[in-house]
Amino acid sequence: MANKYVDFISDEHLLMCIQNLHNAYLKAKNNVSKGTFYENKVDTIKLTFDSLFNDISEEDLVQAEILRQIDKSINNSIGTFHEQVLGGVEGYEVGNFSGFDIKAEDDSLFADIKNKHNTMNSSSAEALFQKLARYADDYKKAKCYLVQILSKKSFDHHWAGDINGKEYSHSRVYKISGDRFYALVTQQEDALYQLYKALPNAIKDYLNSAVAQKMVHENSALDEILEATQKSKRSVLNQITFENYSYYLGFKEL
C-alpha cells in the first residue's frame, strides 16, 4: 500500500516525528510561567501599539509574545524533527546524543544538522569542523556533513576556509543545504519538497488523532494572566502592565 504523505518514510514514522515535535511545543509553552514571562519586563507600550495598529486581540498578542520568547527552543526542536525524519529512512539512524545527529548504518555518512544557516558562531563552527574531521579520519569511507536545512542557496561542497584565524579543510568534510541532503539520504531529488507539501495534511491528521487529543495542556503564562484578569477585571494588557510596573508613579491606579 502506497504511503499517504511522502515516499521515503512510512506514514507512521512521520506522524511519530510530528507527535514528538508537538510534545516539544507543549513543553516549551508550559515552561513559560507568568514569572518567567515577566523576567525581563514586558514592553506593554509596544504591545499596545502592536494590538491597535495591527488589529490583533490582546490575548493573541500575548500568546505571540510568549511564542517569540520560546522561539530558540522551538528552533532547536525543529532541527531534531529533521533528524528524526531522516533517521527513519532505510539504512540511516539518529545519533541519540552519540556525537552526531544522523549516520548511515554502514558508517559511510555522518552529519550534524542545523535548522538555520546562521546558528553557529566561529568557535562552535571550529569545534564542529574538528568533530566531523575526526569522524572522517576514524571512518575512512565516510563522508561527513554540516547540514543547513534553511540556507541562502542550494549547495553541496567541501567545507574549507578560515575559522577563528586557522585554515581548515578535509577531503571528506562537506557543507550541504537541506534540499540536497534530503535528496542525498533518500535518493529522491524532491524529498524536502515532498515533506513540505505533506506537512499540513499530516499535522491535521495527527491533531485529529486520539493521541493528540490526550495531550495535556498544562498551565502557562497566558492562563495565569487570564485567571488574574477574572479577579481584577482589568484588560489583559492592563493586567500585565500592573504586574510589571505597579511601582511606577500612577500605575497602581490601573
Side-chain angles (χ1 to χ4, degrees):
M1 183 176 177
N3 291 348
K4 178 178 180 181
Y5 303 120
V6 297
D7 295 338
F8 51 89
I9 55 172
S10 69
D11 295 341
E12 293 75 18
H13 184 77
L14 179 56
L15 291 172
M16 181 198 72
C17 295
I18 291 171
Q19 179 185 339
N20 290 341
L21 184 57
H22 185 216
N23 277 329
Y25 266 80
L26 290 178
K27 181 179 179 181
K29 286 191 286 186
N30 294 339
N31 281 344
V32 181
S33 67
K34 188 166 69 171
T36 56
F37 181 54
Y38 289 169
E39 204 166 77
N40 294 317
K41 293 297 179 185
V42 181
D43 187 346
T44 48
I45 291 176
K46 177 182 182 297
L47 291 183
T48 300
F49 283 118
D50 289 345
S51 175
L52 296 174
F53 284 171
N54 297 325
D55 193 24
I56 302 172
S57 75
E58 292 186 359
E59 286 186 34
D60 288 345
L61 193 65
V62 172
Q63 188 61 53
E65 181 67 12
I66 291 169
L67 290 175
R68 186 193 65 77
Q69 287 195 10
I70 65 174
D71 188 58
K72 183 176 181 180
S73 172
I74 294 301
N75 273 330
N76 291 337
S77 298
I78 296 293
T80 301
F81 169 77
H82 287 290
E83 295 167 26
Q84 293 175 346
V85 167
L86 291 165
V89 176
E90 186 176 357
Y92 290 86
E93 62 184 44
V94 175
N96 292 324
F97 306 107
S98 298
F100 54 84
D101 290 333
I102 185 174
K103 71 180 277 290
E105 291 175 353
D106 64 2
D107 295 329
S108 63
L109 179 147
F110 292 85
D112 193 285
I113 296 176
K114 305 296 182 187
N115 190 45
K116 292 185 177 180
H117 66 89
N118 58 350
T119 54
M120 291 191 301
N121 59 30
S122 60
S123 295
S124 57
E126 182 178 24
L128 177 54
F129 186 99
Q130 291 169 344
K131 181 178 74 171
L132 292 175
R134 284 196 298 271
Y135 278 117
D137 289 337
D138 291 343
Y139 300 90
K140 299 304 182 184
K141 294 183 179 180
K143 291 185 176 181
C144 301
Y145 291 88
L146 162 59
V147 184
Q148 297 173 344
I149 297 295
L150 303 179
S151 191
K152 291 185 175 181
K153 58 183 178 181
S154 178
F155 65 90
D156 178 4
H157 55 65
H158 279 101
W159 185 2
D162 185 288
I163 310 174
N164 270 347
K166 303 174 187 175
E167 282 290 330
Y168 283 98
S169 66
H170 194 291
S171 61
R172 286 177 287 108
V173 175
Y174 300 83
K175 291 173 74 172
I176 189 170
S177 57
D179 61 327
R180 301 272 181 169
F181 191 69
Y182 264 83
L184 175 67
V185 169
T186 66
Q187 297 299 296
Q188 297 186 31
E189 189 172 280
D190 66 341
L192 185 56
Y193 176 73
Q194 283 186 48
L195 178 65
Y196 171 76
K197 292 290 288 182
L199 277 178
N201 287 333
I203 294 169
K204 288 174 186 175
D205 288 348
Y206 162 72
L207 290 174
N208 289 329
S209 70
V211 173
Q213 299 303 318
K214 291 179 181 177
M215 291 290 187
V216 177
H217 178 68
E218 298 177 1
N219 202 28
S220 70
L222 182 57
D223 297 321
E224 293 178 60
I225 293 165
L226 290 174
E227 185 178 342
T229 64
Q230 295 298 312
K231 298 175 182 177
S232 69
K233 306 305 179 185
R234 299 184 184 95
S235 70
V236 170
L237 286 185
N238 278 348
Q239 185 66 37
I240 294 171
T241 303
F242 178 80
E243 292 180 342
N244 276 265
Y245 303 104
S246 61
Y247 52 82
Y248 268 24
L249 297 175
F251 281 68
K252 282 187 178 179
E253 304 301 318
L254 283 171

